[in-house]
Amino acid sequence: MPEISVRSPRLIGSEDLAVFMLIVNDGTGSDILTGYSLKEFPAARVELHDVKNGKMTKIKTLKIPAHEIVSLKRGSIHIMLFDLPVEQEKELTLVLQFEKSGTIEVNLATND
Ligand SMILES: [Cu+2]
C-alpha cells in the first residue's frame, strides 16, 4: 500500500501561478496522481506540467513510486493554476487525487 504525504508546498508567481512541493511515498506500493483542482475555485484551470527541452508540456498523471519522494520544482514537473479571479485574497487549497490514496488537500500560501 502507498502512504502519500505532501511536504513544503509553495505557490510562486502573480498571474499564472506555479505550485511546487514534495510528494512523499513512505509506503510499500506505488500510487498515481490522477487529479488536481482548487477547492475554492473549482472552475480554475489546474494543469500538471513537465519540462522537456526547456519547454513546458502538459502531462496527465504522475507516478509516485514506493519509498520515493517526487519533487515538483522549477524546471521540472510542476502544477500550474490558470484563470483565477484577480482579487483572490483567501488562501488556496489544492485538492490532489491519487488512484489508491484518495484525496489529499494541500494548503497553499504565497511565498514571495
Ligand atoms: Cu508550467
Side-chain angles (χ1 to χ4, degrees), residues 49 56 78 80:
H49 287 173
M56 294 199 290
H78 58 278
M80 287 187 80

Short mmCIF file of all heavy atoms in Angstrom, two decimals, residues 49 56 78 80, ligand 1:
data_model
loop_
_atom_site.label_atom_id
_atom_site.label_comp_id
_atom_site.label_asym_id
_atom_site.label_seq_id
_atom_site.Cartn_x
_atom_site.Cartn_y
_atom_site.Cartn_z
N HIS A 49 2.38 19.92 -15.37
CA HIS A 49 3.35 20.15 -16.43
C HIS A 49 4.66 19.44 -16.16
O HIS A 49 5.09 19.32 -15.02
CB HIS A 49 3.68 21.66 -16.55
CG HIS A 49 2.58 22.48 -17.14
ND1 HIS A 49 2.62 23.85 -17.19
CD2 HIS A 49 1.42 22.12 -17.74
CE1 HIS A 49 1.52 24.31 -17.78
NE2 HIS A 49 0.77 23.28 -18.12
N MET A 56 7.55 23.72 -21.49
CA MET A 56 6.55 23.07 -20.63
C MET A 56 5.60 22.24 -21.49
O MET A 56 5.13 22.69 -22.52
CB MET A 56 5.75 24.13 -19.87
CG MET A 56 6.58 24.91 -18.89
SD MET A 56 5.56 25.72 -17.67
CE MET A 56 4.77 26.98 -18.67
N HIS A 78 5.76 20.26 -12.40
CA HIS A 78 5.12 21.23 -11.52
C HIS A 78 3.63 21.31 -11.84
O HIS A 78 3.18 20.77 -12.84
CB HIS A 78 5.76 22.62 -11.66
CG HIS A 78 5.70 23.15 -13.06
ND1 HIS A 78 6.61 22.79 -14.03
CD2 HIS A 78 4.82 23.99 -13.65
CE1 HIS A 78 6.30 23.41 -15.16
NE2 HIS A 78 5.21 24.13 -14.97
N MET A 80 0.43 24.05 -12.44
CA MET A 80 0.14 25.46 -12.69
C MET A 80 -1.35 25.74 -12.59
O MET A 80 -2.18 24.92 -12.91
CB MET A 80 0.68 25.88 -14.06
CG MET A 80 2.20 25.99 -14.03
SD MET A 80 2.91 26.67 -15.51
CE MET A 80 2.62 28.42 -15.20
CU CU B 1 4.01 25.06 -16.36
#
